[in-house]
Amino acid sequence: MRVLFLAAVVPGLLSCSSPGTPPPARRTPATHTVTIEAVAYAPQTLTVELGDSIVWVNKDPFPHSVTDARDGFDSSSLQPDQRWTLTPTKTGELTYVCTLHQTMKGTIVVR
Amino acid sequence: MKVSVVLVAGLLLAPAAGAFAQGVDDAQIASIVVTANQVDIDAGKLASSMGSNAEVKKFGQQMVTDHTGVNKQATDLVTKLKVTPKDNPTSQALKKGGDENVASLKKLKGAAFDKAYIDHEVAYHQQVLDAVDKTLIPGASNAELKALLEKVRPAFVAHLEHAKQVQSSLK
């Protein structure tokens, strides 16, 4: 985690030391989709960049949830065809579960 | 289309033992799916109202919600496919077994009710899973019906795991 933080900071410092150099272009945040279907998250593991958003879409005919395994975020009950969006604010690995179906687990890796 | 299916002995609980037998066609599979879900909805309604343990009540309510959703999807599909669910010995045995289970549960209260309900749920989901794997999926000739069965199968697995967990917590 610390290495990732430094890697993000160093280019910024370098750009400050060269006033004539234009700053690197900012990446447009992406939106990723995780489909909930057949009592599973697909993809089960998703890697995103900090600033990106993840949208979960429930394609099953009954409710599911997207709940942080460590008591952080919680979509609460997502009804069929309902969507829920999360935009992580920190890098790291987020493990989440469905509180209604304990066989369901997913991971978001935020770089 | 008829298929030859190996007799699966004891697939259902005692009153409906051997219900998932014989060859089945798509119309019969549709009836079996709807009945199997309805049986668990009926028991779940009872558990959500008569259960004394909070986890048992919650599990019962979830069975009502999930199996109602599956039944809606199954009904929508067979309507689209113009398949009329056809009553058959398997669906009749399922219904009979379900009715007998509900009648038996209604005579119980408190912890005895909770235990009987959840024990039945563990056995029922295991037996339905076996039937899905050995009879219904292999027997479905329509690709969409087969896909629906394959898609809802994990729900039965999750329910079975959940029921076992609740069962352990009651001991």
Side-chain angles (χ1 to χ4, degrees), chain B residues 29-106:
Chain B
I29 288 173
S31 175
I32 292 167
V33 169
V34 171
T35 307
N37 280 298
Q38 190 57 51
V39 161
D40 214 38
I41 291 167
D42 293 343
K45 282 180 180 169
L46 196 64
S48 65
S49 64
M50 285 184 62
S52 63
N53 177 284
E55 287 304 311
V56 168
K57 289 172 85 76
K58 200 169 130 188
F59 181 85
Q61 184 53 53
Q62 188 184 339
M63 293 306 101
V64 174
T65 304
D66 285 10
H67 288 288
T68 299
V70 172
N71 253 2
K72 182 181 181 309
Q73 198 170 50
T75 305
D76 289 349
L77 178 62
V78 296
T79 303
K80 178 189 150 194
L81 297 176
K82 296 186 169 51
V83 171
T84 304
K86 191 163 63 188
D87 208 10
N88 59 83
T90 302
S91 56
Q92 288 164 354
L94 274 169
K95 175 85 171 63
K96 184 169 179 285
D99 288 347
E100 287 172 359
N101 178 48
V102 165
S104 153
L105 287 172
K106 280 181 177 171

Side-chain angles (χ1 to χ4, degrees), chain A residues 37-38 59 61 100-103, chain B residues 62 66 69 73 151 154 158 165:
Chain A
E37 192 162 29
K59 302 305 288 179
L100 302 167
H101 304 93
Q102 294 141 357
T103 51
Chain B
Q62 188 184 339
D66 285 10
Q73 198 170 50
K151 187 180 163 181
Q165 192 182 64

Side-chain angles (χ1 to χ4, degrees), chain B residues 5 32 47 53 55 57 59 68 73 86 91 97 105 110 113-114 124 127-129 132 134 142 150 155 158 160 165 167:
Chain B
V5 178
I32 292 167
N53 177 284
E55 287 304 311
K57 289 172 85 76
F59 181 85
T68 299
Q73 198 170 50
K86 191 163 63 188
S91 56
L105 287 172
F113 174 95
D114 293 342
Y124 185 74
Q127 289 155 351
V128 170
L129 259 178
V132 167
K134 294 171 185 168
N142 180 278
E150 287 168 345
L160 176 61
Q165 192 182 64
Q167 187 181 46

